[in-house]
């Protein structure tokens, strides 16, 4: 079964002060496109292929669409709550990595058996700069 990589869009985008707040949707789309590079090669040091990448968006980024290699899930409310649901529903019985720097979210998903990595895990050469 493919590994599951769940990415906290708001947290990863917000980890670099590059003006993302002026265009939240555009920033999430750039992250999504960068993540597509990891779909075939894995996340170095964390997950080898095959893997499924899920990008969780919220707020102004809710209109971001999925692309090949990255399924975008829009959180109707809290993005953190949606990621915890995904770990519980889709991560059970498979390797699951959640990419976030949010300490509370990290604790919640680790309690469900997921591993965690910070935003730098998906800001490397394969995924490009976001």
């Amino acid at each position: 079964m493919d590994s599951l990589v769940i990415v906290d869009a708001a947290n990863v985008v917000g980890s670099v002060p590059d003006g993302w707040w002026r265009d939240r949707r555009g920033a999430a789309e750039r992250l999504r496109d960068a993540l597509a590079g990891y779909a075939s090669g894995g996340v170095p040091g964390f997950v080898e292929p095959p893997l499924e990448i899920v990008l969780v968006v919220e707020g102004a980024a809710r209109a971001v669409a999925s692309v090949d290699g990255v399924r975008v899930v829009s959180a109707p409310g809290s993005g953190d709550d949606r990621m915890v649901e995904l770990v519980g529903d889709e991560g059970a019985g498979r390797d699951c990595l959640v990419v976030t720097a949010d300490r509370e979210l990290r604790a919640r998903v680790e309690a469900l058996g997921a591993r965690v990595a910070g935003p730098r895990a998906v800001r490397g050469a394969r995924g490009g700069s976001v």
Side-chain angles (χ1 to χ4, degrees), residues 28-123:
E29 288 172 338
R30 288 188 298 278
L31 174 59
R32 175 205 60 199
D33 295 347
L35 290 172
Y38 293 103
S40 62
V43 180
F46 295 97
V47 179
E48 296 297 320
L51 62 118
E52 175 186 5
I53 299 175
V54 177
L55 178 65
V56 177
V57 296
E58 58 187 298
R62 282 194 184 112
V64 173
S66 297
V67 296
D68 285 343
V70 181
R71 177 169 50 112
V72 178
V73 173
S74 178
S78 162
D80 290 2
D81 290 345
R82 185 66 182 113
M83 285 179 272
V84 171
E85 289 172 6
L86 285 167
V87 169
D89 295 343
E90 298 184 26
R94 67 197 265 200
D95 179 39
C96 182
L97 175 72
V98 176
V99 180
T100 186
D102 182 308
R103 287 189 179 135
E104 181 181 329
L105 175 59
R106 290 170 73 102
R108 291 173 68 192
V109 298
E110 285 177 327
L112 295 173
R115 296 181 297 127
V116 294
R120 289 183 184 179
V122 294
R123 289 193 173 274

